[in-house]
Amino acid sequence: MLKGIKLRLYPNRTQQNQLEQMFGNDRFVWNQMLAMMNERYQNNKALPFLGKFKLNYLLKPLKKEYPFLKNSDSSSLQVVNEFLTQSWKNFFQDKTGQVGKPRFHSRKYLKKSYTGKSTIRITGKRYLKIPKLGYVKTSKTGVLQNTKVKRYTVVLEPTGKYYLSLQAEIPEPEKYSLTDKQVGIDVGVADLAILSNGLKYPSFDSSYFEKKAKVWQRKYARRRHLAKLLVLQDRNKKVLCPRSLESFTNWQKAQKSKAKCQAKVANQRRDYLHKLTTHLVKQYDVIIIEDLKTKNLQKNHHLAKSIANASWRIFRQMLEYKCEWYGKKLIAVDPKNTSRICSKCGYNSGAKPLEIREWTCSKCQTKHDRDINAAVNILHKGSTKLNGQGLAMVTS
């Protein structure tokens, strides 16, 4: 099975310069090939792409014309052609009009990367041999034992840190032992996961780091504005060697500090979601969730930020692949009326505003917690779906 593995890289100064060159080479090949395809598209108004294999054939004369391209891993330039071909295909196959034509890549983009398919070898406890770079120090190599790397990506994040993302083929993990338990889960804003057995797991609280990020965001915006004014002043005065925007170190420091705060929040949120989803998969054999369309829900501007912070989509993705890995079952059911129906008698009492967290059924007089009642209804829907498939449903 395939698994994504992410490692921290510690390249030396020479290797950092090499990486900068390789990032630039990928960007250069993308822009050269895209310019050619745009010209074909304007002339023919037909399919402009030649296919990745024909584009790869053009790399040889391109390397002769621009010898600096030989400093890159050859497979990374082929991957650029692959990505470009796929971008054009997506543009022509899209019928909604939401996918635009591929755009040129700018060197000012903060997150730089390149992807290759060559072999990466473990050469020590904390060292890897990467094509064209040689021996690079890394955070750990134990996770790569008994794996076969299919594709790798070297990334320079806005924080200034280098990472190596690997798509690796690994042996299937051991299945978790069965517990004969099932559960329905309702997702919320204040509480991320509300279980049908009454347990509630809170959403990740990122308020502390968000405040720090806002401080640096204001500093970043102010310093960037000042830098732009000074650059414009140099142009108006026709200075012989005008300053560039990248030459202002205070602006760069604020930019990096802002990126570090944002990365800290993202890493802690992902760690929290990993621990929660692993715990749920260990505890229950059957997990039933709502089939929510998160993108549609985020159109509500009052709740969009809270929904994004709760990370419902990532929560579901983690449950999906972990259930598949460890031999458990995940079922998604229609969310319609789960908050309106009494889980005891089945009476539909109509829509209820979000501020109503508890209510009493007007038919059977049962008092409900809104979220727990919804989780129980989700469990009932999952039970019906399983029975319709002719599968037995265990009892919690």
Side-chain angles (χ1 to χ4, degrees), residues 52-69:
K52 61 182 180 181
F53 297 110
K54 290 184 179 179
L55 287 179
N56 290 343
Y57 184 76
L58 296 176
L59 285 176
K60 191 172 182 179
L62 199 64
K63 286 181 180 179
K64 285 185 178 179
E65 187 175 356
Y66 303 100
F68 58 82
L69 293 177

Side-chain angles (χ1 to χ4, degrees), residues 58-225:
L58 296 176
L59 285 176
K60 191 172 182 179
L62 199 64
K63 286 181 180 179
K64 285 185 178 179
E65 187 175 356
Y66 303 100
F68 58 82
L69 293 177
K70 295 178 182 178
N71 296 328
S72 285
D73 179 3
S74 59
S75 68
S76 72
L77 304 181
Q78 293 170 5
V79 172
V80 170
N81 290 336
E82 183 183 329
F83 289 162
L84 182 58
T85 302
Q86 189 59 49
S87 296
W88 276 106
K89 285 182 179 179
N90 293 342
F91 169 64
F92 283 105
Q93 291 173 0
D94 177 58
K95 297 180 181 179
T96 62
Q98 295 179 350
V99 179
K101 288 194 300 181
R103 294 183 293 181
F104 291 102
H105 288 177
S106 170
R107 64 182 179 83
K108 295 181 181 178
Y109 184 56
L110 290 176
K111 190 174 181 180
K112 302 175 183 179
S113 66
Y114 79 89
T115 301
K117 294 181 179 179
S118 302
T119 304
I120 290 181
R121 292 193 293 109
I122 302 173
T123 56
K125 188 176 180 181
R126 294 186 63 186
Y127 282 89
L128 294 173
K129 188 173 183 182
I130 301 176
K132 296 292 182 178
L133 290 175
Y135 300 99
V136 184
K137 189 177 180 181
T138 182
S139 55
K140 51 193 172 182
T141 54
V143 292
L144 299 181
Q145 299 296 335
N146 302 320
T147 62
K148 182 181 179 182
V149 176
K150 309 290 284 185
R151 182 174 289 197
Y152 73 92
T153 302
V154 179
V155 182
L156 171 60
E157 304 241 335
T159 57
K161 296 177 181 178
Y162 291 86
Y163 290 95
L164 177 68
S165 297
L166 303 169
Q167 186 188 67
E169 200 173 72
I170 64 168
E172 290 215 5
E174 278 188 40
K175 308 294 183 186
Y176 287 149
S177 56
L178 299 179
T179 60
D180 290 334
K181 292 181 181 179
Q182 45 80 24
V183 72
I185 300 178
D186 179 46
V187 291
V189 175
D191 294 310
L192 172 61
I194 302 93
L195 278 53
S196 54
N197 56 17
L199 292 176
K200 294 184 179 182
Y201 295 94
S203 295
F204 172 73
D205 182 14
S206 61
S207 57
Y208 172 73
F209 289 103
E210 282 183 354
K211 287 178 183 177
K212 290 183 69 176
K214 283 180 181 178
V215 171
W216 282 109
Q217 175 64 36
R218 286 194 293 268
K219 288 184 179 180
Y220 165 73
R222 187 167 60 248
R223 291 175 184 179
R224 180 179 172 85
H225 177 67

Side-chain angles (χ1 to χ4, degrees), residues 321-370:
Y321 74 74
K322 288 181 182 181
C323 283
E324 185 180 349
W325 282 4
Y326 301 117
K328 302 301 179 76
K329 191 170 185 65
L330 182 72
I331 300 172
V333 298
D334 186 359
K336 188 177 180 181
N337 293 330
T338 52
S339 297
R340 302 181 180 188
I341 296 174
C342 172
S343 58
K344 189 170 183 180
C345 68
Y347 177 70
N348 189 338
S349 56
K352 302 168 187 66
L354 286 175
E355 58 266 19
I356 297 178
R357 308 315 302 168
E358 292 184 352
W359 57 280
T360 303
C361 177
S362 56
K363 186 176 181 180
C364 67
Q365 304 303 313
T366 304
K367 189 175 181 179
H368 292 294
D369 178 291
R370 179 194 182 105

